[in-house]
Amino acid sequence: MQRVYLDNNATTIVDPKVKEAMEVYFCQQYGNPNSLHEFGTEVHPAMRIALDRLYAGIGARDEDDVIVTSCATESNNTVLKAIYWEVIAKTQKKRILTTPVEHPSVSQVCEFLQNQGAEIVELPLNQDGIVDLETLKAFLEPEKTALVSIMWANNETGLIFPIKDMATYTHSVGVLFHTDAVQAIGKIPVNVQEAPVDYLSFSAHKFHGPKGVGGLYIRKGAPFVPLLHGGEHMGGKRSGTINVAGMVGMGLAMELANEALPYEHTEVRRLRDKLEEAILSLSDTMVIGKREHRVPNTILASFRGVEGEALIWDLNKYGIAASTGSACASESLEPNPVMVAIGVDRELSHTAVRFSLSRFTTEKEIDYTIEVLTNSVKRLREISSTYTKKRR
Ligand code: PLP
């Protein structure tokens, strides 16, 4: 059976070039980079190249820090807790401004910090499902605000937030700005000089790098305290023996992802749009968020009368991997805030399915998906209408 992977916002295939570059650091050059002998020192050049690639990849300056972490969850935790300890606990600035659609590695840390005395304010989304600059301006009280933390692109909808404008404004009023750029890197240009953020989180496995390695950009002079103490690794900013293979893989993956951006914006976008058109040509379907506001690889679609989960299982039977895009907050069954903001009726919030492509997705895979999806939606609608009739 053909297998089609359309869940690239969850994780991506490791680029074979990345895998090859990493291999030498398992059984050949496996020394601890902190050791003084040659086994340790011989890995330094590759680590230097990896760091250079990460700095270049996001436009960081030499005087800024880019630290390697174990994942973006760690990077997000590090920033928010550092702000708590360094700003919120020590000054009158108790507030963190954020959005209702952040990944749990931001939103659940905010909830935790709220219990410690931080004041968390979620900015309302506009009709396009994002926070706009005017809303940020209206809510941002510099004397009370320690941090603004807003994702660059949303993992479920692919909607892009205006980070450049928001970071520029936030900076101009003397407040710190963090962005979770996990879903932006490799999909749109990300540059910390053009968008003057103080902190930026990323994760290798979302751009064809390995799992278990992430990164955190820290602008020079931005308040910081490590999450992990215990050694002088990463200039004392993140202790723990360095994942050399992971770091090498992430550096190369970042470089390749940036090189592939033109392809992402032409070919990946074309295939995404082809699938999207096919979805919209079915009756009673909709796609969340305007196409021009989204990263080129993502579709969050709703199929009236079809449970998202049922559709995922049906597609899975035919080898196609998509995701429900967490359309409901699992425990509360509250509809997705983006869907609410853009006026999608409540009933539809259970019918959302996310398709996320990558530069490894082929036209043949999209054609197969369109065929299977069209039949699945038809079949599931028939089943659900028979069931409804029987119950009447
Ligand atoms: N932030 C966003 C927007 C994500 O989509 C994810 C993963 O899905 C994360 C953070 C967490 O990344 P990691 O798996 O590296 O912890």
Side-chain angles (χ1 to χ4, degrees):
M1 180 177 58
Q2 187 169 351
R3 293 209 322 154
V4 181
Y5 187 74
L6 295 178
D7 199 12
N8 287 281
N9 286 9
T11 196
T12 57
I13 183 174
V14 174
D15 188 312
K17 290 187 199 133
V18 169
K19 176 173 167 268
E20 195 189 322
M22 291 171 68
E23 258 157 16
V24 66
Y25 303 99
F26 291 104
C27 299
Q28 288 152 273
Q29 299 191 24
Y30 51 83
N32 185 327
N34 276 32
S35 301
L36 295 179
H37 48 64
E38 203 178 308
F39 283 83
T41 56
E42 70 189 3
V43 300
H44 289 186
M47 288 168 60
R48 186 67 255 165
I49 292 171
L51 265 188
D52 287 347
R53 284 175 165 153
L54 296 176
Y55 273 73
I58 57 169
R61 303 163 306 169
D62 281 350
E63 62 262 42
D64 300 328
D65 278 307
V66 175
I67 62 172
V68 176
T69 63
S70 64
C71 56
T73 297
E74 181 189 325
S75 306
N76 288 339
N77 268 263
T78 304
V79 174
L80 293 164
K81 289 173 183 170
I83 292 298
Y84 176 77
W85 286 311
E86 285 300 288
V87 185
I88 295 173
K90 291 182 183 168
T91 72
Q92 286 315 305
K93 292 181 164 210
K94 306 286 179 208
R95 191 174 289 170
I96 296 176
L97 294 190
T98 185
T99 78
V101 289
E102 297 297 314
H103 186 265
S105 58
V106 168
S107 61
Q108 289 187 11
V109 184
C110 284
E111 238 175 87
F112 169 75
L113 295 179
Q114 192 159 29
N115 293 332
Q116 319 295 312
E119 189 195 339
I120 307 297
V121 175
E122 285 183 354
L123 301 170
L125 304 175
N126 66 14
Q127 284 175 340
D128 288 327
I130 57 167
V131 172
D132 54 43
L133 179 62
E134 296 316 310
T135 304
L136 174 67
K137 283 184 179 170
F139 277 78
L140 183 53
E141 293 180 68
E143 65 293 350
K144 294 186 181 161
T145 309
L147 182 75
V148 177
S149 179
I150 298 182
M151 65 193 343
W152 203 309
N154 183 262
N155 41 309
E156 295 170 21
T157 57
L159 282 166
I160 302 167
F161 288 77
I163 295 301
K164 180 178 171 204
D165 293 346
M166 295 199 289
T168 305
Y169 176 74
T170 304
H171 239 198
S172 75
V173 296
V175 175
L176 295 160
F177 195 98
H178 165 242
T179 187
D180 173 348
V182 165
Q183 298 290 347
I185 288 184
K187 294 171 186 155
I188 51 174
V190 168
N191 185 297
V192 295
Q193 299 318 319
E194 281 164 25
V197 301
D198 296 286
Y199 311 94
L200 177 142
S201 308
F202 55 92
S203 180
H205 75 102
K206 306 286 186 175
F207 51 88
H208 304 291
K211 294 173 187 53
V213 57
L216 175 61
Y217 161 82
I218 308 157
R219 185 172 291 274
K220 182 176 190 257
F224 190 78
V225 57
L227 185 66
L228 304 181
H229 295 87
E232 283 309 305
H233 314 90
M234 293 288 143
K237 288 195 157 61
R238 197 270 180 188
S239 299
T241 303
I242 291 164
N243 174 359
V244 178
M247 180 174 173
V248 167
M250 180 162 67
L252 180 57
M254 170 90 81
E255 188 170 279
L256 294 173
N258 280 332
E259 279 170 15
L261 274 180
Y263 184 85
E264 188 82 20
H265 283 258
T266 50
E267 210 34 28
V268 177
R269 185 189 293 277
R270 185 182 72 77
L271 293 179
R272 189 274 308 263
D273 291 353
K274 184 174 187 182
L275 177 57
E276 190 163 322
E277 293 300 338
I279 291 171
L280 292 172
S281 74
L282 304 174
S283 62
D284 268 339
T285 55
M286 70 176 294
V287 170
I288 313 303
K290 291 189 184 128
R291 210 180 274 180
E292 64 273 20
H293 291 168
R294 280 183 277 133
V295 289
N297 79 319
T298 308
I299 303 169
L300 182 63
S302 153
F303 303 82
R304 190 179 285 276
V306 180
E307 280 288 323
E309 269 182 36
L311 186 51
I312 298 297
W313 286 116
D314 207 56
L315 294 174
N316 187 49
K317 277 199 305 207
Y318 294 89
I320 298 169
S323 126
T324 53
S326 355
C328 294
S330 48
E331 295 111 48
S332 62
L333 287 180
E334 282 302 314
N336 179 317
V338 179
M339 290 187 161
V340 175
I342 63 180
V344 178
D345 72 56
R346 215 185 152 88
E347 191 200 327
L348 283 185
S349 63
H350 301 271
T351 65
V353 172
R354 181 185 70 187
F355 300 90
S356 46
L357 288 68
S358 86
R359 64 178 191 259
F360 289 87
T361 308
T362 64
E363 183 123 32
K364 202 168 143 237
E365 290 176 334
I366 292 301
D367 289 341
Y368 174 69
T369 304
I370 291 172
E371 191 191 318
V372 171
L373 180 64
T374 306
N375 292 331
S376 285
V377 171
K378 203 169 148 218
R379 198 172 44 250
L380 291 170
R381 278 183 175 154
E382 276 165 14
I383 294 170
S384 116
S385 74
T386 319
Y387 177 71
T388 320
K389 273 185 208 142
K390 273 193 188 151
R391 280 185 23 161
R392 275 207 203 111

